[in-house]
Amino acid sequence: MLFEKPKHDLDYLRGGWIFVGDTPFGDSGKGMATNFICYFLKQILGLPVEACVRPNGGDNAGHEVFAPWGPDGPQESYRGHVVPMGILQGVPALVGPGAVFNPGRLLEIELKNLADQGIDIDKVFVSLKTHIILPHYELLEELQEKLRGKDAIGTTKKAIGPTYEYRAKRAGIQVKDVIGNRKWLREKIEYNCKFINSIHTGYGLSVRPNDVYDYLAQYRDALEAMAVDEQEWYRRIREKGGIGVAELGQGDNLDNIQGEAPYITSSLTTIPGGVAQAGLSHKDIRYATLVSKGPYLTRVGGGSFFTEMSDEEADKFRKKGKEYGTTTGRPRRCGWQNMQSLKKALELSGADCICYTKMDITADQEKLKVWTARGHYEEWDGWKEKDIAGARELNEMPWQARQFIEFSEIDLGNLHSSIINLISTGPALQDMVVLDSFLKKPKQP
Ligand code: IMP
């Protein structure tokens, strides 16, 4: 068998949720980890994974997730944005009530691509409450970035900010509006446009309600077929003892409250924030995992980056790790791992497990640097790619990499238990070291 079954009790997971979040700036591999966890639960443990959900954000997020290595070599990869990646394992997927999406980009690009690759997209749902990204929000975002001048945030230009802004103003459009009473939809659109036009005419923005209505009307039938009351959906899964997996977008330093404004996104990106935005309660959460690239970090967009490398150093990681935004194609800024920020992510998200990813990407560097939780850099011997790529057991990994894991545990203050329970050593689904303590029932504080 590819992976061993853990010996500890796993029944505690039934009827509850596993959350997957990220560390400071996102992009560490939540899609990959979600796909792996769904695969592991379903295929290896034979547990009923009945749902996956995307709690927050929209197609500002992006990832490329690889299928298992096939007998003929290179594996197929799937690009995802708002659809949580459990869908690759045939798990019903929900774009949650606290997320936002652009119907054109979801239906005509993301779902179409998945369907073309043989994924069953009839299992993708959207909440009736989810807010919709409207085309004119993109103009608003462009205007807002322009007004900031040199202090522009460097957003992904997907109009995530204005969509959350209009949700908070109580002037946004939800899925239930699009598929509901046509007269009410017209009234809502008129209010939305009145708002926008009265504030922004000075900047030459003028939006016609009829255009917005026609735009939304073309998606009415498709959205009607996908729309669910997420509370009923969750209730059914809970009552059956099914398990859900939630895949957040972004990372804690981009969180709308905890991140460093203004270089942040507009949703909540920590695991507790994810629970609320999914429409779940803290009692639903059974296990929480944070992903973090092993010994390096990346950031896209503006804002401070304490451990940022020189461009020359960054270039090595960028090339090898394909560190270009999946959504925008922008080169990602690269820096060294920062254990202080990892500790902060653990505090904010209350995770039971860390999944270190991309351990093969940092290979073939002579020396690695880590900013410790005690506030100084420590230098490490690197490891060779040929020694780590595709390792599935801790003792298959080179000693330098094992030492880095051990150091991380100690620096994070885990003297008697382990928290780095998943270690990804390559792009394919099965390139994962799964420690015995993975999914062990967390002790109550
Ligand atoms: P927005 O979410 O498009 O408004 O962008 C706000 C900030 O969050 C910018 O710095 C983006 O680069 C960053 N950001 C948004 N989504 C992601 C993501 O999925 N990964 C990494 N950075 C992101």
Side-chain angles (χ1 to χ4, degrees):
M1 185 184 293
L2 205 53
F3 294 101
E4 303 254 322
K5 275 190 186 187
K7 295 187 181 57
H8 44 261
D9 159 54
L10 291 161
D11 276 343
Y12 80 98
L13 292 168
R14 290 177 193 268
W17 284 76
I18 296 174
F19 270 70
V20 181
D22 212 321
T23 44
F25 313 117
D27 296 332
S28 305
K30 294 174 290 298
M32 181 275 298
T34 302
N35 182 32
F36 178 81
I37 290 173
C38 290
Y39 159 83
F40 191 75
L41 292 174
K42 264 183 87 164
Q43 305 295 336
I44 305 295
L45 306 177
L47 289 169
V49 190
E50 304 280 354
C52 58
V53 65
R54 176 71 187 282
N56 71 306
D59 60 340
N60 46 351
H63 39 243
E64 191 176 5
V65 174
F66 289 81
W69 282 105
D72 306 322
Q75 72 281 45
E76 192 159 12
S77 77
Y78 303 84
R79 280 173 179 252
H81 290 283
V82 264
V83 181
M85 286 286 100
I87 193 71
L88 300 185
Q89 300 299 323
V91 175
L94 176 75
V95 180
V100 296
F101 72 94
N102 173 310
R105 290 199 294 264
L106 173 63
L107 298 166
E108 290 154 14
I109 303 175
E110 186 167 350
L111 290 182
K112 185 179 174 304
N113 288 345
L114 288 173
D116 286 349
Q117 289 182 287
I119 304 297
D120 181 3
I121 58 164
D122 288 345
K123 289 185 175 162
V124 179
F125 302 95
V126 293
S127 162
L128 286 161
K129 300 180 191 117
T130 312
H131 273 254
I132 292 191
I133 301 173
L134 298 173
H136 53 273
Y137 291 163
E138 288 178 19
L139 303 174
L140 286 183
E141 176 160 57
E142 204 181 307
L143 174 65
Q144 286 170 0
E145 283 284 82
K146 213 184 269 169
L147 291 176
R148 285 182 187 275
K150 65 172 181 28
D151 297 323
I153 297 165
T155 69
T156 58
K157 301 194 169 120
K158 302 293 178 199
I160 307 299
T163 310
Y164 279 111
E165 195 184 317
Y166 275 77
R167 181 180 86 177
K169 281 194 215 297
R170 288 145 293 178
I173 305 291
Q174 292 171 281
V175 169
K176 65 178 178 194
D177 301 325
V178 179
I179 66 176
N181 182 303
R182 288 163 204 233
K183 183 167 159 278
W184 293 344
L185 173 61
R186 273 196 192 278
E187 282 172 12
K188 290 209 166 175
I189 292 173
E190 265 163 33
Y191 181 65
N192 175 282
C193 292
K194 224 185 261 175
F195 220 114
I196 287 171
N197 291 336
S198 66
I199 297 174
H200 298 281
T201 33
Y203 297 102
L205 265 186
S206 164
V207 185
R208 289 178 7 183
N210 273 347
D211 293 347
V212 181
Y213 185 89
D214 291 346
Y215 169 78
L216 289 173
Q218 63 183 313
Y219 301 118
R220 185 198 302 270
D221 293 347
L223 292 182
E224 192 163 10
M226 294 166 73
V228 293
D229 172 337
E230 90 283 343
Q231 293 303 314
E232 269 177 27
W233 211 65
Y234 294 155
R235 202 172 298 130
R236 272 203 309 273
I237 294 161
R238 210 179 273 131
E239 283 168 4
K240 277 206 292 199
I243 298 168
V245 179
E247 175 194 334
L248 276 121
Q250 295 83 40
D252 64 283
N253 227 323
L254 297 170
D255 183 272
N256 194 251
I257 299 172
Q258 293 294 340
E260 254 182 81
Y263 301 102
I264 52 179
T265 192
S266 304
S267 66
L268 301 182
T269 59
T270 64
I271 288 178
V275 175
Q277 289 165 111
L280 290 162
S281 98
H282 65 285
K283 293 205 168 167
D284 290 307
I285 196 168
R286 297 288 181 277
Y287 196 81
T289 297
L290 280 178
V291 290
S292 168
K293 279 173 191 158
Y296 76 113
L297 295 176
T298 58
R299 177 167 200 167
V300 272
S304 66
F305 190 176
F306 181 65
T307 59
E308 189 160 11
M309 299 168 182
S310 70
D311 235 16
E312 197 182 313
E313 273 176 317
D315 236 20
K316 294 187 231 163
F317 290 94
R318 212 175 271 145
K319 280 204 191 105
K320 197 159 178 207
K322 298 198 191 112
E323 295 297 358
Y324 297 88
T326 316
T327 301
T328 58
R330 289 182 288 181
R332 293 178 180 146
R333 298 156 68 191
C334 299
W336 299 109
Q337 176 62 280
N338 181 337
M339 301 307 276
Q340 261 174 352
S341 69
L342 192 49
K343 215 167 169 174
K344 180 177 158 212
L346 278 172
E347 284 164 1
L348 287 170
S349 280
D352 307 301
C353 168
I354 291 174
C355 171
Y356 263 174
T357 62
K358 294 205 164 186
M359 292 289 284
D360 53 326
I361 301 302
T362 27
D364 295 339
Q365 304 289 318
E366 204 166 311
K367 291 280 176 197
L368 299 166
K369 264 177 21 179
V370 187
W371 182 259
T372 68
R374 290 150 294 131
H376 62 269
Y377 275 111
E378 231 157 80
E379 217 176 57
W380 287 89
D381 287 331
W383 47 87
K384 293 268 174 278
E385 182 168 359
K386 67 174 175 46
D387 295 336
I388 195 157
R392 306 239 182 97
E393 299 276 343
L394 207 51
N395 60 17
E396 281 178 17
M397 289 175 42
W399 64 267
Q400 296 94 331
R402 287 205 310 267
Q403 214 176 34
F404 174 68
I405 305 282
E406 208 176 299
F407 156 78
S408 305
E409 293 279 7
I410 294 170
D411 207 45
L412 291 168
N414 288 313
L415 290 176
H416 305 295
S417 58
S418 81
I419 193 157
I420 302 165
N421 293 331
L422 288 176
I423 304 159
S424 153
T425 58
L429 180 129
Q430 66 269 57
D431 295 339
M432 186 75 91
V433 176
V434 182
L435 274 79
D436 289 343
S437 40
F438 177 54
L439 291 179
K440 194 162 188 180
K441 186 175 179 178
K443 287 200 185 79
Q444 292 303 314

